[in-house]
Amino acid sequence: MSPIAQHLSQVRERIRQAACAAHRDPAEVQLLAVSKTKPLAAIRDAYRCGQRRFGESYAQEAVAKVRQLRDEPGFGDIEWHFIGPLQSNKTRPVAEHFDWVHSIDRLKIAQRLSEQRPKHLSALNICLQVNISGERQKSGTTESQVFELAEAISRLPHLTLRGLMAIAEDTQDLGRLQEDFGRLQQLFAQLKLRHPSMDTLSMGMTNDLEVAVACGSTLVRIGTAIFGARDYKQD
């Protein structure tokens, strides 16, 4: 068994145990493998282990990966998620090559994605990023502004509003994590009443996935626990 196969198995087991501890069905929690900065060999390894959802953060690097793998036999069913900050001059390649964008916090970016989404593709799935920890260095809309942003984006053609995304504070304080994730869960529940298309709560990473799953996450974004902190090297 390859290292990535072992790591994927371990992460899936962590998700299963976290879901069971929260009295949830493990099938409710999807795994997004964060492959940013990792080579194609790592993605191929994970794919062969059954992983189909991959997350990228840097547009130029990501689009090159998407193009190459879509041209290779057997990799055409990968679901590509853009999870990093998105500048207005990088929206077109993301609109043309990705299935999801998790990091929307401004209407202008959403408008550009809608305008630039090729008409022959299905609607681009959108998650709104909320700065749930209130840290200045983090991207994301505020809790008070997310309702207005959701309403505006829900009216844009070629986009489908699917959920919320947040990056928790880097802390060992479980109480703080529970508080932050809990507030995002409440926002998600309130928004779902207005926007039935919302079904995705994207929160939880390598160090806090258990807390996120306990607070209702439906998608965890895991990079380090799958691919390692250092550059992946093929055996």
Side-chain angles (χ1 to χ4, degrees), residues 3-57:
I4 282 185
Q6 292 177 327
H7 296 160
L8 273 170
S9 178
Q10 291 165 357
V11 169
R12 289 165 178 161
E13 178 60 17
R14 285 178 62 186
I15 293 171
R16 188 194 70 79
Q17 291 184 8
C20 290
H23 306 290
R24 297 181 60 195
D25 181 352
E28 295 175 358
V29 186
Q30 299 175 353
L31 172 59
L32 180 66
V34 178
S35 50
K36 64 179 182 181
T37 76
K38 304 304 177 183
L40 290 172
I43 298 175
R44 293 189 190 101
D45 259 10
Y47 182 93
R48 294 185 186 106
C49 298
Q51 182 63 32
R52 294 294 181 269
R53 298 180 179 92
F54 291 88
E56 295 282 337
S57 296

Side-chain angles (χ1 to χ4, degrees), residues 33 46 57 60 69 71 86 92 116 118 138 140 155 174 189 210 215 217:
S57 296
Q60 186 172 353
L69 284 177
D71 288 340
L86 186 55
R92 184 175 294 279
Q116 294 166 348
K138 281 188 177 168
R155 294 194 293 265
L174 294 183
E210 285 82 4
C215 292
S217 174

